[in-house]
Amino acid sequence: LDHLDHRAEGLKDVVRHGYDEASYRYRPEPGDVDRFRHSAAEYEGWLGELYRRLPPGAEVLDLGCGIGVPVARRLSERFRVTGVELSPIQVARARRLAPKVEILEDDMTRVEFSAGRFSGVVAFYSIIHVPLREQPALFDRIARWLRPDGVLVATLGETAWEGIEEDWLGSGASMYWSHTDRPTYRAWLEERGLRVIEERFVPEENAGHALFVAVRAGGSG
Ligand SMILES: C[S@@+](CC[C@H](N)C(=O)[O-])C[C@H]1O[C@@H](n2cnc3c(N)ncnc32)[C@H](O)[C@@H]1O
């Protein structure tokens, strides 16, 4: 499988370079709405279960935190937040814009955390850039990092698609996406003891994503 691993690393380079080049096009500063018209208020609406279920000061992980706004910075007003981000430009902006968040420049499929460390994990529009063959193992990791009763909130694929777009957002760089469909994601979560308590379609231009909220089984509630 060696050549597949090399291919996966090459695709990560495409994503890393693509976000380095398109960072400011995707989300200008201070900008309340991103290139795809998702507003800070819309993201805020996706965080409700974290606010309801987690005590202040709980540890929350943001996978593919981008420039740290709107989500990581907002969560850091109440929780202890760690962000993981692949693109150095995104990391630099996040460290400036979300100073209370600990930002790790790393690949979410490689970074290590101790089991049960996090009460919440969020991943918005980021897992859809991870090569699909690496995603089942990534969900294993997420399930392990969450404590019992911990909450996962993520935007994942609505329909299956994998491909590369050239000159993404007019940046000159390419971008790569890879995702399966909503029923497969639901099964992958449930198989790992991540009980889906909410899912809904989030439209975007002519397509859209699936928002999942899941709770790790094994707690008292
Ligand atoms: C579409 S942006 C979304 C950023 C932020 N979550 C938001 O919703 O505004 C996706 C981010 O995920 C990051 N990303 C993609 N693959 C990653 C990986 N394997 N590890 C860490 N970050 C990754 C990208 O660099 C990019 O900043």
Side-chain angles (χ1 to χ4, degrees):
L1 286 177
D2 240 24
H3 64 289
L4 283 176
D5 289 336
H6 285 132
R7 180 171 174 268
E9 284 317 299
L11 294 168
K12 297 242 180 71
D13 288 341
V14 169
V15 172
R16 183 187 294 108
H17 179 68
Y19 275 100
D20 277 352
E21 294 299 315
S23 177
Y24 284 88
R25 293 169 192 265
Y26 185 96
R27 200 186 292 281
E29 263 165 60
D32 215 31
V33 174
D34 70 19
R35 171 65 181 67
F36 300 98
R37 311 199 58 76
H38 295 296
S39 66
E42 183 175 12
Y43 278 97
E44 181 74 11
W46 301 338
L47 304 176
E49 287 299 328
L50 295 175
Y51 295 135
R52 271 190 286 283
R53 291 171 182 261
L54 273 47
E59 287 225 51
V60 176
L61 175 64
D62 187 344
L63 293 172
C65 66
I67 68 168
V69 291
V71 171
R73 179 169 70 190
R74 177 79 176 123
L75 290 173
S76 73
E77 292 169 14
R78 194 192 299 217
F79 305 119
R80 279 181 293 156
V81 182
T82 303
V84 176
E85 173 50 52
L86 191 64
S87 144
I89 300 287
Q90 300 276 74
V91 166
R93 293 181 70 193
R95 287 185 176 145
R96 180 161 53 78
L97 293 168
K100 286 184 6 192
V101 177
E102 186 187 1
I103 313 276
L104 307 176
E105 184 179 326
D106 211 334
D107 176 348
M108 67 174 95
T109 69
R110 297 259 170 113
V111 65
E112 295 289 345
F113 298 110
S114 55
R117 170 167 164 186
F118 294 101
S119 301
V121 174
V122 301
F124 296 117
Y125 306 106
S126 54
I127 293 174
I128 57 173
H129 290 291
V130 172
L132 194 59
R133 59 180 287 274
E134 296 188 27
Q135 291 186 21
L138 174 61
F139 288 110
D140 288 341
R141 294 155 66 78
I142 291 171
R144 194 167 65 238
W145 295 333
L146 273 173
R147 52 192 288 175
D149 285 336
V151 182
L152 169 68
V153 187
T155 36
L156 303 170
E158 174 71 20
T159 56
W161 191 73
E162 178 171 34
I164 290 188
E165 191 178 316
E166 311 285 342
D167 192 24
W168 185 51
L169 305 180
S171 67
S174 304
M175 185 47 68
Y176 166 77
W177 292 266
S178 179
H179 48 85
T180 182
D181 56 18
R182 197 208 284 211
T184 306
Y185 280 118
R186 184 190 309 127
W188 283 0
L189 296 176
E190 296 277 353
E191 280 164 14
R192 290 165 177 79
L194 299 168
R195 188 168 50 85
V196 175
I197 60 168
E198 188 187 331
E199 59 178 87
R200 77 174 107 124
F201 180 65
V202 180
E204 177 184 297
E205 294 177 347
N206 309 321
H209 298 89
L211 176 81
F212 281 94
V213 183
V215 175
R216 201 195 132 184
S220 49

